[in-house]
Amino acid sequence: MTTEGITSSSAESTPGDYDVIIIGAGPAGLAAGIYAKRAGLECVVLEKGVPGGQVLTSPSIENYPGFPEVPGMKLMELMAEHAKRYVDIREGEEVLRVREGERFEISATSGRYTCRAIILSTGSTHRKLGVRGEEGMIGKGVSYCATCDGFFYKGKEVVVVGGGNTALTDALYLHSIGCDVSIVHRREAFRADRHLQDSIAKKGVPVLWDTVVEEIVEGDQVTAVKLRNLRTGVVSQKAVDGVFVAVGEIPSNQLAAELDLELDPGGFVIVDKSFRTNVPFVYAAGDVAGGIRQIVAAVHGGAAAALSCFEDLMNPYYRR
Ligand code: NAP
């Protein structure tokens, strides 16, 4: 049963039919859930893993207002608890296929859902270096998550590869837990925030500038990396126990592609300032939509997408 634009939450509606389905429970999806439900929309958040997204892997967040310093895992635990006061978050529910029709049809791990609108907040995944030895040594010394794996390298020699906020945050974390850490960066300058650069200098973390990892030496465990200095061309071998790769993100845009959403050259979903995509009743927010990729921005995107969705369902574009 529907009122003007909004599905009734009466017992007549089947459990799989919603006004809006939010795919992904990172900061954008959780904020979208809170705003959609508070606006009176029947909605559910489908999450293939656990709520939190990539923030879960950040050792320390220092730029989310209200939290001067908080582990990513803690911040997301609080955000998910808050969202669960309003909205059902289905963990372990992976969306396998999505199809546009009179209603959107979503096939997920545990069955079929339908909805009138979709908010995509599927995030992004870690970019790989793509060098010899990387793939084979994952879990044997190659890691993409300092918070998850750093503990095993206490007192050991490791390198962090990259020059962005993630690389510098990871290097500071590894240094703080007692790893002997150096940074390998392909240029002569970091792109990370000045504040992080200052901390790296203050802690005396060595940086190998203009240098790339050419190979991760394979064996039972990582024992060394082969490095090339891009200025001099000199190739050297550095003995290390661990390689933490922090070279950026790739948008998780498979569902976006199925929905024929317009993507930018980097594969991020193109949205307008209200987080609408080119397909009516489909919205995107958070890392999958690119932009500055900050938690605060993801939260804004999720909230704005939910409000745009509410507006469109109440006053469908085809009646305007
Ligand atoms: P990023 O900002 O895209 O930086 C990626 C880094 O990896 C760059 O320094 C890049 O070098 C380097 N790189 C890329 N491909 C490489 C390759 N094949 N080999 C060697 N180096 C390579 O990625 P991120 O640091 O993961 O950050 C992603 C987003 O999350 C950003 O918007 C960032 O601000 C945000 N973030 C924020 C915080 C925070 O505010 N606390 C923490 C983490 C992440 P070049 O510089 O030469 O391009």
Side-chain angles (χ1 to χ4, degrees), residues 58 60-63 127-130 161-169 184-187 189-193 196 211-213 246-249 287 291-294:
S58 190
S60 177
I61 309 287
E62 297 175 2
N63 54 9
R127 177 179 291 130
K128 292 187 174 164
L129 279 175
V161 189
N165 280 332
T166 304
L168 271 62
T169 306
V184 175
H185 183 40
R186 66 182 178 184
R187 286 193 295 130
F190 288 133
R191 68 167 63 210
D193 293 349
L196 288 168
T211 301
V212 292
V213 172
V247 296
E249 299 297 317
D287 282 1
I292 59 169
R293 286 183 281 147
Q294 297 287 303

Side-chain angles (χ1 to χ4, degrees), residues 5-26:
I6 307 298
T7 303
S8 159
S9 57
S10 78
E12 286 171 45
S13 47
T14 56
D17 300 329
Y18 293 88
D19 289 320
V20 54
I21 289 183
I22 299 162
I23 306 177

